[in-house]
Amino acid sequence: MNTALSAMGRRTAPPPISWLMQTALSRPKLISLAAGFTDNATLPVKISRQMLDQVLRSAKTGRPALQYGITAGETNLRQLTARHLQELDLGGTPGRRPLIQGQRHAVPPEIHPWEHLMITGGSQQLLYLTMEALCDEGDLVLVEDPTYFVFLSILQSRGLHARGVRLERDGLDLTHLEIVLQRLKHSGELGRVKALYLVSYFHNPTGATTSFEKKCGILKRLKKFEGAAGHPIYLIEDAAYRELRFGRDAAPRRPRSSRRDDPTTPPSALMAPGALARVIYAGTYSKPYAPGARVGFGILPEPLFTAVQRIKGNHDFGTANLLQQLLAGALQTGLYNQHVAKIQKRYRRKAQIMRQALARHFPPDVEIWEPGGGLYFWARLPKHASTGVKSKIFRTALKNDVLYVPGGLCYADDPSRRKPDHEMRISFGNGSEENIRKGIKRLGEVLRKFL
Amino acid sequence: MNTALSAMGRRTAPPPISWLMQTALSRPKLISLAAGFTDNATLPVKISRQMLDQVLRSAKTGRPALQYGITAGETNLRQLTARHLQELDLGGTPGRRPLIQGQRHAVPPEIHPWEHLMITGGSQQLLYLTMEALCDEGDLVLVEDPTYFVFLSILQSRGLHARGVRLERDGLDLTHLEIVLQRLKHSGELGRVKALYLVSYFHNPTGATTSFEKKCGILKRLKKFEGAAGHPIYLIEDAAYRELRFGRDAAPRRPRSSRRDDPTTPPSALMAPGALARVIYAGTYSKPYAPGARVGFGILPEPLFTAVQRIKGNHDFGTANLLQQLLAGALQTGLYNQHVAKIQKRYRRKAQIMRQALARHFPPDVEIWEPGGGLYFWARLPKHASTGVKSKIFRTALKNDVLYVPGGLCYADDPSRRKPDHEMRISFGNGSEENIRKGIKRLGEVLRKFL
C-alpha cells in the first residue's frame, strides 16, 4: 500500500542541523561551535519571573493573559513593538536618519504602523506564513549566497526554488542582483520571482550587515523588474540579530547626540523610499530576550497582512497571550532595554575572545569575517579545502570533540553555480569563554594539519 | 499589476466567526452566546503564577525554560501528557476498559507512546500540520455534519474538500459513513480520501459524544476501504473538549471503583484495535487549563509523526519552552487535576442554568441537544426556519443584543447535500450566570416571535 502523505509530507527533508545537534548530544565532551543558541548565562530569568508575577498578581491582568486574544496579537504589544522599532530606526546620530526626497526627515508615523504589525510565534513563523501567502510551488525566491539554512528548509519543504545573490562583506552585491534578475528575465522565469530574502543585520551565517544604501538599492532594482514580472517583488528583511550589536553606543536612552555613529546598525529597509508597499520586516524577541518565550513579529504591506493574518488564524488563532504580556511588561518597564544592553556587552566580550583565539590558532590563509554583532564568525578556507560533513576536516574536528556548521549547508540549491564547500560558521553564542578558547584551539589544530 | 499572492494567499477566506466577534465588540450591551471562549472567572491565574515562579526561581530550571528546546517538545511534558492520557483512558470502572481480542486487557504501554507524542501550539496547530503532511490540494477529508468550523477553514484555505457524514446524538452515523465511502468509491474519488475528522467528545458545535463502539466501527469501515483507496485512511480524533465533562465522577484520584460509569467519557480511539497505525489523536491544554498558554499535543503514527515534526521545525522549531514548563509543573504537582475538577463543576453549573433557561424560554418545537460536557448546546429549529446571518431571526436577535453561532457556518461545502440552515450553537462557556439567563430569555423571545 502507498503512503497517504502529501507531496509536502513526502518531500520535507530533515533539518540539516539536526544531525549535528544529535552528534553534539552523543559526545558529552564535545565543544559545539555549531548551535545558534543564545547565551545561557544571561537569559532573563529574574526579569521574566518579575514580569510574569506582575501580570498574574491580579485577576484583572492575569485573566486576559490566560484567555484567547486576537489573531494579529495584543494591541499593547503591537504598539510597544512598533514604538521600539521606531526607536531603533531613529536611534543614533541625527545624521544617520535616511534621506527621503533629498531631505533628512523625521519618520512619518506610518513607517512603523502597529496596525500592520503582527505578533507571531517567533520570526520563523512569520517567514513561514509569508511563504504560504506569497508563493506557489515552483515559485522563486532570491536569497543571499549563503543564507539562513532554516529559511532554505522552508523553501525545500514547500517546493519553492532559490537563486543565490552574491554576498559581500557589506551586504548584498547589487551588480550581481541586477545580473541575476536580468538572467531570470531572459529565461522567462521572472514571473515566478516573488521576493528577495535578506538577513540584514549580522547575517546568519556570515555576520555581514547590509548598509542602508544597499537596502535602498535592492528595492530600486526589484521595482525595476516588477513590470516584467507582472507583480510586486517583495523585500523580506529578516532582522533577527539586529539588537545583538557590539557597538559601544549600545546602552539605550542615552541622548542621541552622544551616541557614536555605528555602521553595523543602519536603519531598516522600512525607512527606504517606497518601502511601505514592498518591505516585509521580520523581527523577533527570541534572540535579544529569550528563545523559550518565542515571540516574534512582522510588519507586512497589504494585501499580504490580511492574507497572513487569515492563514495564522488557521494555524493557531494568535500567539499565546501570556508570552505577549511577558514581553509587553519587559518593554514597558524598560527592563527589556536594560537586558539588551547587558547581553550586548556579554556578546561583545565573547566575540572578542573568539577573535583573539582565531588570530592565535587559525592558519593565516583562513579568511575571517569579523561581525559587528550577532552570534557568528565566518571562516573561509582556501578554495581547495572542504569543510562538509564527509570531509577530513569535519571528521577530524569531530574526533577531536569540536563541531562547526559546514558552510555548504547554508547555500541554496541553485543550479546556476557550484555550491561552495570551503567555509564554516563558528558560533560564540552559547559556549562559555573557556570553551570558546578551547574549541577554537582544537579547530585551529585540525586546520593546521590539513591546510 | 497583478497581486503576487499565492493561490492560498488569494483563496483563504476570512474566518466566518470574525464578523460575529467584531459585531460583539461594537455592541457593548450585547450578550454573546457565540464565542467558544472558556470561563474567564476560573482561569488558573494563581496556579500559573505559582508554577512560573517555581520554574523561574532558580537558574537551573529557569534557563532551560527560556532557551531553545527540541521540535517535538520537552521530554518531561511529553511523558506527563502520555501518562495523563493513559489515566483518562483507564479512568472509570474497569468494565469500561475496551475489549481487545475478546478480552478486557490492561493497556499495553505502546498505546500512548510519549515518543510519538508531539507538543504543539494548541491542538489547532496539530490539525494544521497534519493537513500539511497528509493532504494535497484537491484531496478529500470526511467530517461530521456539522463540524468544527475552523477545521473547515483549514480545508478551505488549503484547497481541500470535505464530505459530511451524518451525526447522531451518540456520534457519527456508521451506516451513512459506509454509504459515503461507497459513493466515493463508485465515483472514483476514494483515492483522494485521506482522513476522517472526528470531534469525539462534547462535539463542537452539537455537544454530541461518539461512543467507543462507534470509534471502533469507524476504524473498521475506513480500513475496509483502504484497499480501494490505495493508501491508509486515518482517523483524526480531536479530543479538545474531553476533560470538560460534567459527570459527578469528575474529581481526580478517587479510587476507580467508586467512580460511576459515565457514557460521556468513553476511551479514546487510541484504545481501539488497530488504532496505533491509524489514529491521529489531537489534544489540548487550552480548554481545560488556559487558552492563553496555548499548549496542545498530538499522537501520530509513522510516517506522519516524522513528517509533521519536520514541518513543525520549519514553522517554529518547537512550542515555547516556558509554556511547556508551566504545564509540566501543573501536571506534576496535581494542581492541573484539581483545576480541571473545579472547572468541571463550574461548567456543570452553567450548563444547568442554560438548560433551565432553555426549558423556560425556548418554544417547545425547538429540539435541544443537551451535552454531557463541553461548552455548547445545540438548538434545532423547525426545518422551515432560518438562523443564518441574513435571516430575520439572526437580525432580530442582534437588534435585541444577543448573539449565537448560526448552525450553517458549521457545515462543510459538500455538493452532495443542501446545507442545513435551521440550527444554532449556543455557548455557556464564557458568559456569567446572569448573562446566560438573560441571553437565553432574549433569544427565546425572538424565537417565539418567528416560530
Side-chain angles (χ1 to χ4, degrees):
Chain A
M1 194 176 300
N2 296 322
T3 171
L5 293 189
S6 66
M8 188 201 262
R10 292 191 304 273
R11 178 171 58 211
T12 305
I17 198 87
S18 66
W19 181 82
L20 297 184
M21 295 297 148
Q22 290 262 296
T23 305
L25 286 174
S26 66
R27 296 184 75 101
K29 283 184 181 170
L30 181 130
I31 294 176
S32 174
L33 304 172
F37 283 18
T38 52
D39 183 65
N40 221 33
T42 43
L43 283 166
V45 177
K46 273 189 194 164
I47 299 176
S48 300
R49 186 177 174 214
Q50 190 185 331
M51 291 301 100
L52 287 165
D53 190 70
Q54 194 64 39
V55 170
L56 297 169
R57 184 168 292 171
S58 75
K60 197 183 157 198
T61 55
R63 286 177 188 167
L66 294 177
Q67 189 53 277
Y68 286 110
I70 53 171
T71 302
E74 294 301 287
T75 302
N76 65 344
L77 182 59
R78 292 166 76 193
Q79 290 177 338
L80 285 162
T81 302
R83 199 184 309 154
H84 181 62
L85 274 184
Q86 192 132 329
E87 276 172 20
L88 286 175
D89 273 337
L90 290 176
T93 56
R96 260 172 60 204
R97 290 199 206 166
L99 287 169
I100 297 173
Q101 300 178 326
Q103 275 197 294
R104 293 191 195 280
H105 277 275
V107 188
E110 68 272 20
I111 295 280
H112 304 92
W114 74 266
E115 297 90 346
H116 276 176
L117 189 146
M118 189 176 309
I119 305 297
T120 53
S123 54
Q124 184 69 28
Q125 192 194 35
L126 194 272
L127 297 176
Y128 195 90
L129 292 165
T130 301
M131 286 300 103
E132 284 191 293
L134 200 55
C135 296
D136 293 304
E137 206 175 313
D139 276 353
L140 277 161
V141 178
L142 308 183
V143 298
E144 289 154 306
D145 218 13
T147 190
Y148 170 44
F149 48 76
V150 192
F151 185 74
L152 294 178
S153 293
I154 296 178
L155 301 184
Q156 189 277 330
S157 170
R158 304 193 59 77
L160 308 176
H161 304 303
R163 290 289 176 276
V165 180
R166 209 171 293 144
L167 185 66
E168 299 170 314
R169 291 186 72 156
D170 66 337
L172 208 73
D173 179 341
L174 294 182
T175 313
H176 192 232
L177 171 59
E178 180 110 20
I179 292 170
V180 169
L181 286 164
Q182 279 293 358
R183 261 196 226 138
L184 290 166
K185 188 178 168 188
H186 287 147
S187 65
E189 294 170 283
L190 201 59
R192 304 301 310 246
V193 177
K194 295 295 184 69
L196 184 146
Y197 170 74
L198 189 77
V199 185
S200 53
Y201 299 91
F202 321 123
H203 177 261
N204 180 358
T206 69
T209 291
T210 296
S211 67
F212 183 68
E213 291 65 32
K214 283 203 165 182
K215 291 178 190 173
C216 297
I218 292 167
L219 277 168
K220 216 169 123 188
R221 276 160 190 85
L222 296 181
K223 189 89 188 165
K224 183 175 151 189
F225 285 85
E226 283 188 353
H231 55 68
I233 305 176
Y234 292 94
L235 170 59
I236 304 170
E237 173 167 36
D238 180 346
Y241 300 91
R242 182 174 192 180
E243 299 190 58
L244 305 186
R245 65 187 185 278
F246 307 147
R248 296 208 169 270
D249 65 342
R253 303 280 176 206
R254 269 200 248 166
R256 267 175 213 154
S257 56
S258 77
R259 293 191 195 171
R260 290 182 320 156
D261 204 20
D262 182 355
T264 67
T265 54
S268 73
L270 291 168
M271 302 286 280
L276 269 183
R278 292 294 181 269
V279 171
I280 297 158
Y281 182 93
T284 187
Y285 292 117
S286 284
K287 299 289 182 193
Y289 190 78
R294 203 67 53 82
V295 177
F297 53 90
I299 291 187
L300 304 107
E302 288 296 2
L304 262 166
F305 182 86
T306 296
V308 163
Q309 185 178 29
R310 288 177 184 177
I311 295 170
K312 183 165 164 65
N314 292 332
H315 278 231
D316 60 14
F317 336 109
T319 297
N321 269 356
L322 184 58
L323 300 177
Q324 295 192 52
Q325 292 314 323
L326 164 62
L327 264 306
L331 285 162
Q332 211 146 17
T333 52
L335 291 172
Y336 174 85
N337 277 345
Q338 280 177 33
H339 175 72
V340 169
K342 184 173 150 189
I343 62 164
Q344 285 172 342
K345 232 170 120 180
R346 170 89 174 160
Y347 286 129
R348 184 164 66 227
R349 165 91 182 133
K350 288 170 81 168
Q352 196 182 3
I353 287 166
M354 186 170 272
R355 188 182 307 118
Q356 288 165 349
L358 286 166
R360 193 162 162 193
H361 300 294
F362 266 40
D365 48 349
V366 176
E367 180 191 339
I368 302 288
W369 286 23
E370 280 185 20
L375 305 175
Y376 314 111
F377 279 76
W378 183 240
R380 310 183 76 195
L381 278 51
K383 286 205 172 158
H384 62 82
S386 167
T387 60
V389 291
K390 289 178 179 167
S391 69
K392 278 180 194 162
I393 290 176
F394 186 85
R395 281 183 294 145
T396 312
L398 197 58
K399 211 165 25 175
N400 287 282
D401 275 325
V402 61
L403 194 68
Y404 60 84
V405 171
L409 296 181
C410 309
Y411 284 90
D413 289 324
D414 177 344
S416 70
R417 57 105 185 87
R418 218 187 119 262
K419 260 190 204 188
D421 182 35
H422 63 292
E423 297 156 316
M424 43 175 77
R425 185 188 87 172
I426 319 171
S427 172
F428 52 85
N430 194 38
S432 66
E433 297 186 6
E434 194 197 339
N435 276 352
I436 291 172
R437 282 195 198 93
K438 268 197 203 163
I440 294 296
K441 183 161 180 275
R442 286 183 195 168
L443 196 51
E445 283 162 2
V446 174
L447 292 178
R448 283 180 189 278
K449 203 162 152 185
F450 291 104
L451 295 186
Chain B
M1 193 174 304
N2 296 322
T3 171
L5 292 190
S6 66
M8 190 203 261
R10 293 191 304 273
R11 177 172 58 211
T12 306
I17 198 86
S18 67
W19 181 82
L20 297 184
M21 295 296 147
Q22 290 263 296
T23 304
L25 286 174
S26 67
R27 296 183 75 101
K29 284 183 181 171
L30 182 129
I31 293 175
S32 175
L33 305 172
F37 283 20
T38 52
D39 183 65
N40 221 33
T42 43
L43 283 166
V45 177
K46 274 188 194 164
I47 299 176
S48 301
R49 187 177 174 213
Q50 190 184 331
M51 292 300 102
L52 288 165
D53 189 70
Q54 194 63 39
V55 170
L56 297 169
R57 185 169 292 171
S58 76
K60 197 184 156 197
T61 55
R63 286 177 187 167
L66 294 177
Q67 187 56 276
Y68 286 110
I70 54 171
T71 302
E74 293 301 288
T75 302
N76 64 344
L77 183 59
R78 292 165 76 193
Q79 290 177 339
L80 286 162
T81 301
R83 200 183 309 155
H84 181 62
L85 274 183
Q86 192 132 329
E87 277 173 19
L88 286 175
D89 272 337
L90 289 178
T93 56
R96 259 172 61 203
R97 291 198 205 166
L99 287 170
I100 297 174
Q101 300 177 329
Q103 277 196 293
R104 292 189 196 279
H105 277 276
V107 187
E110 68 272 22
I111 294 280
H112 303 92
W114 75 266
E115 297 90 345
H116 276 177
L117 189 147
M118 189 176 308
I119 304 297
T120 53
S123 54
Q124 183 70 27
Q125 192 194 34
L126 193 273
L127 296 176
Y128 195 91
L129 291 164
T130 300
M131 287 300 104
E132 284 190 292
L134 200 55
C135 296
D136 291 305
E137 207 176 312
D139 277 353
L140 277 161
V141 178
L142 308 183
V143 298
E144 289 154 307
D145 219 14
T147 190
Y148 170 43
F149 49 75
V150 192
F151 185 75
L152 294 177
S153 292
I154 296 178
L155 301 184
Q156 189 277 330
S157 170
R158 305 192 59 77
L160 308 176
H161 305 303
R163 290 289 177 276
V165 180
R166 210 171 293 144
L167 185 66
E168 298 170 316
R169 290 185 75 158
D170 66 337
L172 208 72
D173 179 342
L174 294 181
T175 313
H176 192 232
L177 171 59
E178 180 109 19
I179 293 170
V180 169
L181 286 165
Q182 279 293 359
R183 262 196 225 138
L184 290 166
K185 188 179 169 188
H186 289 146
S187 66
E189 293 171 284
L190 201 60
R192 304 301 310 247
V193 177
K194 295 295 186 70
L196 183 146
Y197 171 73
L198 189 78
V199 184
S200 53
Y201 300 90
F202 322 123
H203 178 261
N204 181 357
T206 69
T209 290
T210 296
S211 67
F212 182 67
E213 290 66 30
K214 283 203 166 183
K215 291 177 191 174
C216 296
I218 292 167
L219 276 168
K220 216 169 123 188
R221 276 160 190 85
L222 295 181
K223 189 90 188 167
K224 182 175 152 190
F225 284 85
E226 284 188 353
H231 56 68
I233 305 175
Y234 292 94
L235 169 59
I236 304 170
E237 173 167 38
D238 180 345
Y241 299 92
R242 181 174 193 181
E243 298 190 58
L244 306 187
R245 64 185 186 278
F246 306 148
R248 295 208 169 267
D249 65 342
R253 301 283 176 205
R254 266 200 251 167
R256 266 176 215 151
S257 55
S258 76
R259 292 192 195 171
R260 289 183 319 156
D261 204 20
D262 182 354
T264 66
T265 55
S268 73
L270 290 168
M271 303 284 281
L276 269 183
R278 292 294 182 269
V279 172
I280 297 159
Y281 181 94
T284 187
Y285 292 117
S286 285
K287 300 288 181 194
Y289 189 79
R294 204 66 53 84
V295 177
F297 53 90
I299 290 186
L300 304 107
E302 289 295 4
L304 262 166
F305 183 86
T306 296
V308 163
Q309 185 180 28
R310 288 177 184 177
I311 296 171
K312 182 163 165 66
N314 292 332
H315 277 232
D316 60 14
F317 334 111
T319 297
N321 269 355
L322 185 58
L323 300 177
Q324 295 191 52
Q325 292 313 325
L326 164 61
L327 265 306
L331 285 162
Q332 211 146 17
T333 53
L335 290 172
Y336 174 85
N337 277 344
Q338 281 178 30
H339 175 72
V340 169
K342 184 173 151 189
I343 63 165
Q344 286 172 342
K345 233 172 119 179
R346 170 90 175 158
Y347 285 129
R348 184 164 65 227
R349 165 92 183 131
K350 287 169 82 167
Q352 196 181 3
I353 287 167
M354 186 170 271
R355 188 181 308 119
Q356 289 165 349
L358 286 166
R360 192 163 163 190
H361 299 294
F362 266 39
D365 50 349
V366 176
E367 179 191 341
I368 302 289
W369 286 24
E370 280 185 20
L375 305 174
Y376 314 110
F377 279 76
W378 183 242
R380 309 182 76 194
L381 278 51
K383 284 203 173 161
H384 62 84
S386 167
T387 59
V389 292
K390 288 178 180 167
S391 69
K392 278 182 194 161
I393 290 176
F394 186 85
R395 281 183 295 146
T396 312
L398 197 58
K399 214 166 20 176
N400 287 285
D401 275 325
V402 60
L403 194 68
Y404 59 85
V405 171
L409 296 181
C410 308
Y411 284 90
D413 288 325
D414 177 344
S416 70
R417 58 104 184 87
R418 219 186 119 262
K419 259 189 205 190
D421 182 35
H422 63 292
E423 297 156 314
M424 43 175 76
R425 186 189 85 172
I426 319 171
S427 172
F428 51 85
N430 193 39
S432 66
E433 297 186 6
E434 194 197 339
N435 275 352
I436 290 172
R437 282 194 198 94
K438 268 198 203 161
I440 294 296
K441 184 162 182 272
R442 286 183 195 169
L443 197 50
E445 283 162 5
V446 174
L447 291 179
R448 285 181 186 277
K449 204 160 153 184
F450 290 104
L451 294 187

